[in-house]
Amino acid sequence: AGFASKLGYASGFFHLRMKLPDKDSAGVVTTFYLSSHGNNHDELDFEFLGNREGKPYTLQTNVFANGLGNREQRILLWFDPTADFHTYKILWNEHQVVFYVDNVPIRVFKNNKNIGVDYPSQPMHIEASLWDGDSWATDGGQTKINWTHAPFNAHFQGFGIGGCPIQNSSDIQQCYSSKYWWNLENYWKLDHRQQRDYENMRKKYMNYDYCSDRPRYPTPPPECFN
C-alpha cells in the first residue's frame, strides 16, 4: 500500500508525521521517501524496519544518485515510534541533503560533485508506503512476518511540501533560486546547535554506517571523507 505526490520536485523541504505499525511488526517496512522515475534514478529514503514485539524499530536511510545507492545508515530511535506521531523531514537543496527526526538531524549528505560523487539532481516525487520486506528487513531476513498479526497499520498526517515543482530536468536550475528559503545560505550546512545534536545522535544511536563497513568497502567511498 502507498501514496505519492502527483508532481515532481527538484529542491525543497518535505515533511510527514507518522505513527508506525505496533505489536509484532517484524519484516514489515514503512517508508517515506523521494524518488525520481526512470533509469539511473535518484532517491532519498526513510525506511522503518519492524521488529518482534518489545524489540526496537530500526530506522534506515539511504541515498541514491544517478542509480547508485548502497549508502545505508541505520539508527535506533530514542522513542517508541508506534506510540505516537513523530515528524520526519528531508531538506534538499544544491548544497546538501539533511534527514531529520523531529528537529534532530540524523543524516547529512553533502554535494561532493567536485570529487566525482553523484548528487541527487533529478525531479523526484514524494512517496510513502507499507510493504513486505521480510526477505531482508529484520535480522537480515532471518525473522519473518507473523501474518496472524495482520493487518499492519501505519498512520500518516501533516503531509507538508515546501518544494519547487518541476517537470523537466533541463529546468532544474530554477529550483536552486534564492527565492526559495531552503536555498538560502544558512541552509547550506548545519548550524552550530544542529551540528552538536547531529554528532550526539550519531554517538548514541547509530548502529550501522556504510562508510565504516570495511568488509563491504575496504576503501570507503569518497563522500565518506567529507
Side-chain angles (χ1 to χ4, degrees), residues 131-146:
W131 53 281
D132 174 358
D134 79 355
S135 65
W136 65 276
T138 309
D139 301 325
Q142 298 180 64
T143 303
K144 302 298 185 180
I145 291 178
N146 183 345

Side-chain angles (χ1 to χ4, degrees), residues 67-84:
L68 177 64
N70 298 321
R71 297 185 174 101
E72 299 91 346
Q73 292 182 357
R74 300 186 195 116
I75 67 169
L76 297 176
L77 294 166
W78 51 93
F79 53 82
D80 179 358
T82 73
D84 204 352

Side-chain angles (χ1 to χ4, degrees), residues 39-82:
N39 296 327
N40 298 322
H41 78 295
D42 295 344
E43 187 170 311
L44 304 172
D45 294 328
F46 276 111
E47 297 176 313
F48 299 87
L49 314 183
N51 213 335
R52 288 284 181 248
E53 188 168 4
K55 293 186 176 181
Y57 260 83
T58 294
L59 169 54
Q60 174 171 284
T61 58
N62 204 350
V63 174
F64 287 77
N66 195 29
L68 177 64
N70 298 321
R71 297 185 174 101
E72 299 91 346
Q73 292 182 357
R74 300 186 195 116
I75 67 169
L76 297 176
L77 294 166
W78 51 93
F79 53 82
D80 179 358
T82 73

Side-chain angles (χ1 to χ4, degrees), residues 163-181:
C164 173
I166 193 173
Q167 293 183 332
N168 193 327
S169 293
S170 63
D171 298 328
I172 198 166
Q173 284 298 323
Q174 72 187 48
C175 288
Y176 301 149
S177 167
S178 60
K179 73 178 182 180
Y180 296 112
W181 62 264

